[in-house]
Amino acid sequence: MGKYIELNQNNIEETIKEGVSLVDFWAPCCGPCRMIAPIIDQLAVEFDGIVKICKINTEEETVVMKQYQIRSIPTILFFKDGKIVDQLIGYSTKAKLEEKINAHL
């Protein structure tokens, strides 16, 4: 059973450098972030071994937040081989996230 990967400034580059990765920039105080959390958990299970499903707490990782120019949360960045290929800002449905993931496989 898959589980999302918790990212920080020490492991983000290594984690996303190969394959497709979804990175959810979130914060505990964010209502839409809490609404999307169960969807991220489901995607981590469904795409286990296919796509890296990751989360990064912007309250704890301000350096990474600034590095990727995150101005509002939730922001979801899609990476392919370490490069940003897509993004979604704000709450998104599971279907929309799956559509974005599948477009980059």
Side-chain angles (χ1 to χ4, degrees):
M1 186 157 136
K3 182 180 181 326
Y4 66 82
I5 301 164
E6 291 188 39
L7 296 180
N8 58 51
Q9 64 185 359
N10 298 319
N11 69 356
I12 186 168
E13 289 184 23
E14 181 67 26
T15 302
I16 66 171
K17 74 177 185 179
E18 292 180 6
V20 175
S21 303
L22 174 156
V23 179
D24 174 21
F25 289 82
W26 71 286
C29 63
C30 166
C33 298
R34 289 193 305 272
M35 289 170 50
I36 206 168
I39 297 170
I40 299 298
D41 292 341
Q42 291 171 0
L43 294 173
V45 171
E46 293 171 17
F47 286 93
D48 188 29
I50 303 165
V51 174
K52 295 172 193 150
I53 306 296
C54 310
K55 293 181 73 158
I56 188 157
N57 184 335
T58 58
E59 288 181 357
E60 296 173 355
E61 297 295 331
T62 56
V63 171
V64 179
M65 187 176 114
K66 290 175 185 168
Q67 177 183 349
Y68 289 97
Q69 300 176 4
I70 304 302
R71 290 181 172 81
S72 62
I73 53 173
T75 291
I76 297 179
L77 297 182
F78 298 86
F79 293 86
K80 187 163 190 176
D81 298 329
K83 301 208 180 342
I84 297 171
V85 293
D86 215 336
Q87 74 173 1
L88 291 169
I89 298 173
Y91 177 81
S92 294
T93 64
K94 183 178 178 197
K96 185 68 173 172
L97 292 169
E98 288 172 329
E99 176 186 315
K100 294 280 189 183
I101 290 169
N102 288 322
H104 300 293
L105 288 178

